[in-house]
Amino acid sequence: MSKSVRHVVYLGILFALAITLSWAESLIPPLPFLPPGVKLGLSNVVTMYCLFCIGWKEAFLIALLKGAFAFVTRGAIAGLLSSAGGILSVLALLLCIRLFKQRISYTALSVTGAICHNLGQLFVASFLVDTPLYLFYLPVLLLSGIFMGAITGLLLRTVLPFLQDISPDRMEVSP
């Protein structure tokens, strides 16, 4: 199998993992102490992995594919919210990586990504409804971004060795 084919197959596996994590997360009942709409964002672990270990183009591709999947399965608004959050999150992470190089942890990056994901979704929601009332939810989304981002950052650090074990660079090349 050629290197480019292995790369595409690997991205397909990662996309499948992202939507599986998103689906599995939707099975978890809302926790009584969490505000409406707040969730962990498990599939964002895959997007961050792509950005940190594969490349920025692949991270954008996964974010856009996740948005397209949300569009197909949950409708146009869900697709727009997912895409806006994912794209803004990847852009913010890219900026942090460029500015801070190796001086920033996965957890700090994940918190930044989670907050920006929430901000992207909030911006689109306020635009769609054409009212600034959604801005009153901003403190809730900022706090949840910090908390959930820290959890997903720790999760990324935990699963990183396993994801790297199945990377295409480690696959056997057959003649």
Side-chain angles (χ1 to χ4, degrees):
M1 192 175 354
S2 73
K3 186 173 181 171
S4 61
V5 171
R6 284 185 287 149
H7 187 72
V8 170
V9 168
Y10 189 54
L11 287 177
I13 291 168
L14 290 173
F15 174 59
L17 177 61
I19 60 174
T20 301
L21 288 171
S22 181
W23 171 76
E25 186 174 27
S26 73
L27 298 177
I28 301 170
L31 299 174
F33 59 88
L34 289 179
V38 172
K39 62 181 200 168
L40 189 53
L42 291 175
S43 68
N44 296 328
V45 170
V46 176
T47 308
M48 289 186 298
Y49 168 75
C50 284
L51 181 62
F52 303 149
C53 299
I54 300 174
W56 65 269
K57 292 176 187 175
E58 291 83 351
F60 275 114
L61 177 63
I62 293 292
L64 289 172
L65 287 173
K66 286 174 22 182
F69 185 77
F71 178 83
V72 169
T73 59
R74 296 190 315 263
I77 292 175
L80 284 171
L81 292 174
S82 176
S83 295
I87 290 168
L88 186 59
S89 176
V90 172
L91 283 171
L93 291 173
L94 267 174
L95 181 64
C96 286
I97 289 168
R98 299 236 192 268
L99 289 176
F100 298 110
K101 309 276 185 235
Q102 301 297 327
R103 299 173 298 181
I104 189 165
S105 70
Y106 286 139
T107 303
L109 285 167
S110 181
V111 167
T112 301
I115 289 171
C116 288
H117 196 282
N118 290 347
L119 290 175
Q121 289 184 329
L122 184 66
F123 175 75
V124 168
S126 64
F127 177 76
L128 289 173
V129 180
D130 195 26
T131 179
L133 290 178
Y134 275 90
L135 294 178
F136 289 109
Y137 210 54
L138 182 62
V140 171
L141 292 178
L142 291 176
L143 286 175
S144 67
I146 292 168
F147 182 68
M148 299 304 184
I151 293 171
T152 56
L154 293 171
L155 183 60
L156 174 65
R157 270 198 359 218
T158 303
V159 300
L160 198 57
F162 302 106
L163 289 172
Q164 289 175 329
D165 280 346
I166 62 167
S167 105
D169 296 333
R170 299 188 67 155
M171 290 181 192
E172 295 288 325
V173 178
S174 59

